Amino acid sequence: MRGLWLEDRRLRVRDDVPIPEAALGEALVRVLHAGICNTDIELTRGYYPFTGILGHEFVGVVEQGPPRLVGRRVVGEINAVCRACSACLAGGRTHCERRTVLGIVNRHGAFADYLILPAENLDPVPDAVSTDAAVFTEPLAAALEIQQQVPIGPATACSWWVTANSASWWRRRSP
């Protein structure tokens, strides 16, 4: 498969990256759209010693995984956690001692034809949300989480996007 590979602070397009194999509990996602984040740019500048495929903002279609998700457009929580360490057991998933982060820490990202994530990290994109809009789910979820100081996942962000883009929402706010 093709992927945008970062190594030694240099980017190159590779067409020889193996399609990832989903482990038990994971899903294989065919990437439709991926967004470029400032974190991706900072990784190319040496922010964190990452080697692999960048990208953590994405919309894709599940090719392999749980039947409820196969064939569905999805977005995903980028932190893949162990669910067994003391941080996970205490509810601090973003502090997992063994977490990987899509396109940032020990997990190839979305600037490729395919990616894998735990199935529990994936949320279907509502039909009312376009693929172009859904690619902004991860930064929207991060912004809402910062604003509200509570964890907001992709499903909540997608629901907010549907509500925020409905005609009635805009009419209520029009002068």
Side-chain angles (χ1 to χ4, degrees):
M1 79 170 174
R2 294 171 302 156
L4 184 59
W5 191 267
L6 174 66
E7 189 169 357
D8 296 326
R9 297 172 42 178
R10 285 188 229 140
L11 289 172
R12 68 183 171 111
V13 176
R14 289 182 52 183
D15 61 3
D16 62 344
V17 180
I19 294 175
E21 294 185 28
L24 184 63
E26 293 184 324
L28 177 68
V29 178
R30 179 174 44 87
V31 177
L32 298 175
H33 281 18
I36 299 172
C37 176
N38 191 60
T39 302
D40 302 313
I41 295 167
E42 291 301 321
L43 286 167
T44 68
R45 295 177 177 156
Y47 162 72
Y48 183 82
F50 178 73
T51 296
I53 299 168
L54 293 173
H56 57 276
E57 300 172 6
F58 75 94
V59 179
V61 173
V62 175
E63 298 274 320
Q64 296 173 5
R68 69 179 179 78
L69 292 174
V70 172
R72 303 278 314 265
R73 280 185 314 144
V74 295
V75 293
E77 161 59 48
I78 66 174
N79 294 287
V81 299
C82 75
R83 303 183 76 192
C85 71
S86 59
C88 285
L89 294 174
R93 293 173 50 98
T94 57
H95 299 287
C96 172
E97 299 161 10
R98 294 182 284 275
R99 79 179 171 134
T100 61
V101 184
L102 186 69
I104 301 172
V105 179
N106 297 325
R107 182 177 287 269
H108 291 308
F111 295 160
D113 295 319
Y114 295 92
L115 64 83
I116 55 170
L117 270 175
E120 71 180 9
N121 285 36
L122 300 174
D123 289 297
V125 176
D127 292 339
V129 178
S130 72
T131 298
D132 287 343
V135 77
F136 295 105
T137 300
E138 191 277 335
L140 177 60
L144 290 172
E145 184 172 330
I146 289 168
Q147 179 184 23
Q148 301 195 12
Q149 296 297 305
V150 294
I152 304 270
T156 303
C158 263
S159 295
W160 182 88
W161 193 271
V162 170
T163 303
N165 282 298
S166 70
S168 62
W169 186 89
W170 289 110
R171 278 195 295 274
R172 287 195 309 268
R173 285 157 180 77
S174 296

